[in-house]
Amino acid sequence: MKEEQLLIRRARSGDSPAFRMIVEYHKKNVYYFALSMTGSHYDAEDISQEVFLKLYQSLDKIRGEAKLSTWLYRVTVNTCINKKRKKSLSALKFQENSIIDEMGNIQNYEDSRTGNPEQYTELSRINMHIEKALKKITHKERTIFVLRHYRDLPLKEIAEILNVAEGTVKSTLFRAIKKLQKELSFYTKETEMENAK
Amino acid sequence: MSDCVKSKKLFLDALYHELNDEQQSWFDAHLEKCNKCAKEFAEAESVIKVMDKRRLYEPDAQYWKNYCARLSNKIENVSKPVPVWKEWWNSLVHILIFKPKLVYNPIAAVLLIAVGMFIGREFFSPEYAVQEEYNVPDQSVFESRIQKYLERSKVILSSIVNYDPATDDIYGLDFSSQKEVSRQLVKEAQYIGSGLLYQQREELLELILDLQLVLLKIIQFENGGNEFEIELLQSGIKSSALMLKINLEEIDRITRKGSF
């Protein structure tokens, strides 16, 4: 934490290598969080770069009371919301296209590992349904679920990022799981049957 | 506390294997006794397992290697100063294309007020009308209403100017109370504006009309307001130095009071 504050202070005074070190340290966290939120590599790239651009422009405002990662996650959440608004404003259907693009990538990725066409078709099908289910829950529910499930953050830190009470995070996460369960009931029953065996 | 309520409290931590040994053994024992909780937990566990199957794109090493270089380019582009007129022009074009209502509605409202003022001045006796409505001889009441109007407008403007989209909670973006107050202030501005016109206090009248334009824009916010509308208004307030004008007017009023 002390080292981080020192880096921020150096970056604030115009030390480019210090800023680069900050980016190097946090880039994967921000990118993968944005990717888990949007499901699209292209959006995640745009969002994560925009977040670091905002960091660069806000270096003077960062006081170092909270962890930098908390600030970055918070700005990523806001940037994801703005990106979604801008998309709906320009009436482009990136979301649907991005799923297709990402599916293409996933298929290649799985194909190269398994070499089993049936398996990757099945995985792609599940993946598509998961993406659709995640898009059906509210943005807040998705944010909390992604931070807990895919970024493995404790509920207390999620509450800090979203500036809400821990109880709110718990109830929202619970609701998100219930909704996902409804959306993915076909697969959950399959899993339950597998477990019963 | 019933056992089921207690198990609900431990539910999420159990789902993510974060209970301590004691809690875990209590939770397991409860699930063995309670079919309802056991079923609910099994269902949630199965959703988590399905969600674990999600596969996301993995960028290669080259992508990460060039990440900072791409960011540097963006920072360089943004650092180049953009002329203010160009920013304004881009915003105007954007609004005209995507949100024409935001432009045409306030213009229509201002035109309507201007036409009303013109008709009032040209075709009716202004002295008689204003005197009767505003009770001009009671100057102190009129002045205190102006003072109150400026103070309330300042609070509204401050809430817009101080909003920082980078750090403020975007879920809490709700300007409904500001919209309501703006509606009241626009009504009040009509009264004050006519009074100032009658007294020929042109500078203050100009400030009131500028404020009215901003307040009308706040009333026009879609739903609770969105970041783009707020940013546009922030730049409008900044460029017309509205906060500064209000502050100067207030200082002037205090000085005048002191000299009496």
Side-chain angles (χ1 to χ4, degrees):
Chain A
M1 185 87 169
K2 262 189 176 178
E3 203 183 323
E4 191 172 82
Q5 281 174 15
L6 193 71
L7 279 174
I8 293 171
R9 211 175 303 153
R10 277 173 51 196
R12 200 181 291 153
S13 59
D15 184 345
S16 305
F19 182 70
R20 196 190 168 102
M21 276 172 82
I22 297 173
V23 175
E24 287 291 348
Y25 186 76
H26 290 284
K27 67 184 182 186
K28 287 194 178 177
N29 262 343
V30 173
Y31 169 84
Y32 282 115
F33 173 45
L35 183 64
S36 308
M37 285 295 288
T38 59
S40 156
H41 161 67
Y42 306 109
D43 285 349
E45 155 81 359
D46 276 358
I47 290 167
S48 65
Q49 295 252 327
E50 203 175 321
V51 168
F52 287 116
L53 192 64
K54 282 180 183 169
L55 172 68
Y56 182 78
Q57 291 167 330
S58 312
L59 281 169
D60 288 337
K61 290 181 197 165
I62 293 169
R63 292 280 156 252
E65 290 127 4
K67 273 162 58 182
L68 181 61
S69 60
T70 305
W71 188 93
L72 288 169
Y73 276 128
R74 188 180 299 155
V75 175
T76 310
V77 172
N78 289 348
T79 312
C80 286
I81 294 173
N82 290 337
K83 178 116 189 140
K84 199 180 161 204
R85 278 185 182 154
K86 276 175 193 162
K87 271 185 180 177
S88 51
L89 194 76
S90 53
L92 290 173
K93 290 186 174 176
F94 277 141
Q95 302 281 10
E96 283 163 26
N97 294 340
S98 68
I99 290 173
I100 295 160
D101 288 343
E102 294 315 324
M103 294 317 295
N105 284 320
I106 290 154
Q107 285 187 4
N108 294 336
Y109 171 72
E110 291 300 332
D111 192 24
S112 65
R113 281 164 186 238
T114 62
N116 181 344
E118 274 177 24
Q119 203 172 344
Y120 79 65
T121 309
E122 177 62 11
L123 275 168
S124 303
R125 189 173 65 91
I126 295 175
N127 223 60
M128 195 176 73
H129 284 133
I130 291 174
E131 294 300 335
K132 275 189 178 171
L134 278 169
K135 282 187 173 73
K136 281 197 176 168
I137 60 179
T138 67
H139 198 279
K140 194 172 187 175
E141 287 162 353
R142 184 160 72 241
T143 306
I144 289 173
F145 182 80
V146 163
L147 285 171
R148 181 68 197 92
H149 190 76
Y150 293 115
R151 304 311 307 151
D152 207 21
L153 293 190
L155 299 179
K156 199 180 166 192
E157 200 175 332
I158 299 174
E160 209 178 314
I161 291 166
L162 300 178
N163 210 9
V164 293
E166 204 178 322
T168 311
V169 174
K170 267 191 181 177
S171 56
T172 311
L173 179 60
F174 196 77
R175 205 167 47 236
I177 292 171
K178 285 273 168 196
K179 282 188 185 175
L180 289 171
Q181 189 181 317
K182 205 175 158 192
E183 291 297 328
L184 298 164
S185 55
F186 174 73
Y187 296 105
T188 55
K189 274 172 194 158
E190 229 173 41
T191 317
E192 277 171 43
M193 279 163 72
E194 275 172 24
N195 288 345
K197 280 178 196 172
Chain B
M1 192 184 345
S2 85
D3 283 355
C4 289
V5 175
K6 191 179 171 186
S7 89
K8 273 268 161 62
K9 291 202 167 180
L10 300 175
F11 196 94
L12 288 171
D13 287 336
L15 205 56
Y16 286 103
H17 312 289
E18 283 178 355
L19 293 179
N20 60 36
D21 291 346
E22 195 187 329
Q23 287 172 323
Q24 188 65 55
S25 50
W26 182 91
F27 190 77
D28 292 340
H30 176 72
L31 291 195
E32 271 183 30
K33 280 187 286 178
C34 178
N35 282 339
K36 199 182 161 203
C37 289
K39 188 174 175 266
E40 199 172 8
F41 188 71
E43 283 170 353
E45 249 186 339
S46 58
V47 180
I48 296 299
K49 276 183 188 159
V50 173
M51 295 310 283
D52 280 339
K53 290 182 182 169
R54 188 186 189 201
R55 292 286 173 268
L56 289 167
Y57 178 68
E58 293 272 351
D60 56 18
Q62 195 63 28
Y63 171 81
W64 292 117
K65 205 177 159 190
N66 297 333
Y67 190 89
C68 278
R70 290 196 303 277
L71 182 63
S72 296
N73 288 339
K74 273 197 180 171
I75 289 174
E76 255 176 47
N77 288 340
V78 171
S79 303
K80 282 176 193 162
V82 181
V84 179
W85 66 266
K86 202 172 177 184
E87 264 181 41
W88 267 91
W89 176 252
N90 288 343
S91 306
L92 191 70
V93 169
H94 191 91
I95 288 181
L96 283 170
I97 294 169
F98 295 111
K99 299 207 166 182
K101 261 187 181 180
L102 274 178
V103 178
Y104 297 128
N105 286 2
I107 290 175
V110 171
L111 277 177
L112 205 64
I113 292 165
V115 168
M117 283 176 165
F118 176 76
I119 293 171
R121 279 179 82 172
E122 292 298 314
F123 300 104
F124 301 95
S125 164
E127 288 88 354
Y128 176 73
V130 175
Q131 222 162 356
E132 194 178 58
E133 193 183 347
Y134 298 102
N135 195 13
V136 170
D138 197 354
Q139 188 63 18
S140 62
V141 175
F142 184 59
E143 289 301 328
S144 75
R145 281 179 77 162
I146 295 174
Q147 183 64 34
K148 206 172 168 191
Y149 174 85
L150 290 174
E151 279 166 10
R152 292 181 79 193
S153 303
K154 204 168 140 186
V155 173
I156 297 284
L157 259 58
S158 300
S159 68
I160 300 290
V161 171
N162 292 331
Y163 178 78
D164 182 0
T167 52
D168 286 350
D169 175 19
I170 203 142
Y171 292 119
L173 193 66
D174 180 17
F175 284 93
S176 48
S177 60
Q178 281 88 338
K179 281 171 83 169
E180 181 51 40
V181 177
S182 298
R183 258 184 223 112
Q184 294 167 13
L185 288 172
V186 167
K187 275 185 199 165
E188 180 71 355
Q190 287 166 5
Y191 168 84
I192 293 172
S194 304
L196 292 171
L197 190 70
Y198 172 72
Q199 295 178 357
Q200 294 182 337
R201 291 159 71 180
E202 282 166 12
E203 272 184 27
L204 188 54
L205 179 62
E206 201 181 316
L207 174 61
I208 300 289
L209 286 175
D210 283 349
L211 277 172
Q212 202 171 5
L213 194 65
V214 173
L215 295 169
L216 280 167
K217 279 192 178 175
I218 294 171
I219 295 171
Q220 297 291 328
F221 273 0
E222 280 193 355
N223 302 323
N226 67 44
E227 198 193 310
F228 181 73
E229 290 172 326
I230 294 159
E231 274 179 9
L232 187 80
L233 212 49
Q234 281 177 332
S235 61
I237 294 167
K238 213 171 153 186
S239 69
S240 56
L242 268 180
M243 292 297 272
L244 177 71
K245 283 180 187 168
I246 296 176
N247 286 337
L248 288 174
E249 174 60 30
E250 281 183 337
I251 291 168
D252 192 35
R253 296 173 80 79
I254 291 165
T255 320
R256 265 186 282 143
K257 250 187 195 174
S259 67
F260 287 143

